[in-house]
Amino acid sequence: MAKIGINIATGSLQQEEIIIGIDLGTTNSLVAIIHPEEKKPVVIKEHDSSALVPSVIYFDSYGNAIVGSEAKKHLITEPQNTIFSAKRLMGKSYNDIRQNASFFTYKVFDDDTERLVKVQVGNRFYSPIELSSFILKELKQRAEHILKTPVNKAVITVPAYFNDAQRQATRDAGKLAGLDVLRIINEPTAASLAYGLGMKSDEEKTVAVYDLGGGTFDISVLRIANGIFEVLSTNGDTYLGGDDFDAAIVKRWMKEHRITEQQVAGDKALAQALRIRAEEAKVHLSTKDVYIGKVNDYPLQITRQEFITTIAPLVDKTIQCCKNALQDAELSAGDIDEIVMVGGSTRVPFVKETVSRFFGKPVHDEINPDEAVALGAAVQADILAGNNKDFLLLDITPLSLGIETMGGLMDVLIPRNSKIPAKTGRQYTTQKDGQSNMRISVYQGERDLVKDNRKLAEFNLTGIPGMPAGLPKVEVSFLINADGILMVKAKELRSGVEQSLEVKPQYGLTDEEVEKMLLDSITHAKEDIATRALVEAKTEAEQLINTTQNFINKNREHLTEAEINATGNAVKNLQDAMAKEDKDAIQRKIEALNELSRPYAERLMDKAISMAMKGKSV
Ligand code: ADP
Ligand code: MG
């Protein structure tokens, strides 16, 4: 049973919120959850139907969006109103897809710029984010209908090669569908999780995830250690999948029956029927030896052996990609501990055999290959829900994160080994009068000086209104979200000007690099402490000289000649000590300057206060 709580405000009963895992696929999408009683991931489906929802959107004549199998029926007969493969357009500009423009049988709006693509249906334009949100909305509604409870939170998977823009687009699509996207995770990571790989904290494994879907092929090599999944390499072909198997079968049949390209181009119903029969044959041949069917008066037949001959060149292509991925990861086939088969097309026995032969060991195919990714997303959702406490270890920052402060010092905001998500903030101020900019440089590492750490990003907070040094209050806040993306924000609190930036902290550092950075911080600890003390003394000295000189300039008429000269000398002494980089001498001269200026500073202060008092009517 899911936990039930009582809402204190309303007195009503509340069920613990459910978090769903979503595989938002190019061809098919589906939802999974952790079964509340069996504690195992299960896909969500109506009793006797499939959990798979075709990622197809059909717009009817009123402009209503219909998603799934219903929409798929219009794919060939009404191509201009039926959108498939919207995932391929996520985060892309028209220039990005120009080469494959003919693939899309609907109208991808060509404004010939670097701007993000839109799809035109009738007189309406849809962004890929909106299109994906239609699919997500459908999945959310199905889940709510079947689970009989509102669903507002989700984990969504994306291909490992998706860049930041594509991940953000996916997140936005979720938001648009009314989902709070708690995390975006990589499809191969999810598939591994579904197989329980990486669930033990002491486990170290190299895993290859072979994912052959409807229109895309991805091979990912992952290194799993201490509950952390690292993508060593990815490869694949974004225009190769099970649909190409279908197309190859259609071609074969067309040749047999002397059906020409023009004929099918002019007879959409025939084209559609051939396509449907070809997919049927392919699925049939995964378990049987021969397929016999018919379209109109054409008898259609294909044996398993003929099918293998037809698709062999395509399967060979995937093996070439596997070779490339291994090469990029600097591994050989024998180094792979586990091979995970994902995607509906890996149901083809010939595909399984070929991959198994290439890696020299049996492959994992115990879980439905078209469900593995969603099931893994559900496992991740369960971890986020806090139901799997041992596993939280996964989410820590390997190195400290901070910003550069005066004198090149590292000011740590989020210490290493902090749990993610994490949030902190600290206030800083300006060093110079009227300073209108403040540079925020973000670093990662354990050393006291930023120059020994790794710079992640830098930005300028501009437009700080003119104020004396020390008066502006700039709050710098760090937020690491559950995806490991760091958001840095700087805000001047008096004026409200703010600036923010997103940084990816963990990526790009190997375990060895992290280890070396930690080791360095220990070896150099003593010397770092000394350097920090010197830098701090120098910074303090600089500020003191600045304020003293400002004070003298402003109050010259209230000071004696002797006071001005003595102060000048003390400043000079302090500057000499700074030039010698002598920390103790700097501190002594700071003291001396303070001692000297205190009497007249106090005198002027008293005067200012009494003036102010006089002006006031009590
Ligand atoms: P995607 O990840 O691209 O959304 P899927 O993993 O759902 O796609 O894979 C869809 C592909 O799997 C389709 O081409 C479909 O025809 C194919 N497929 C599904 N079941 C079988 C089967 N039993 N044998 C062969 N191919 C199959
Ligand atoms: Mg998939």
Side-chain angles (χ1 to χ4, degrees), residues 116-128:
L116 297 179
V117 292
K118 291 233 167 196
V119 167
Q120 186 176 3
V121 180
N123 50 15
R124 283 212 53 183
F125 293 92
Y126 300 94
S127 69

Side-chain angles (χ1 to χ4, degrees), residues 25-28 213-216 242-243 279 282-283 286 343-345 347-348 370:
T26 311
T27 318
N28 295 305
T216 57
D243 296 346
E279 187 175 2
K282 171 184 76 176
V283 172
S286 286
S345 302
R347 287 216 159 107
V348 175
D370 33 26

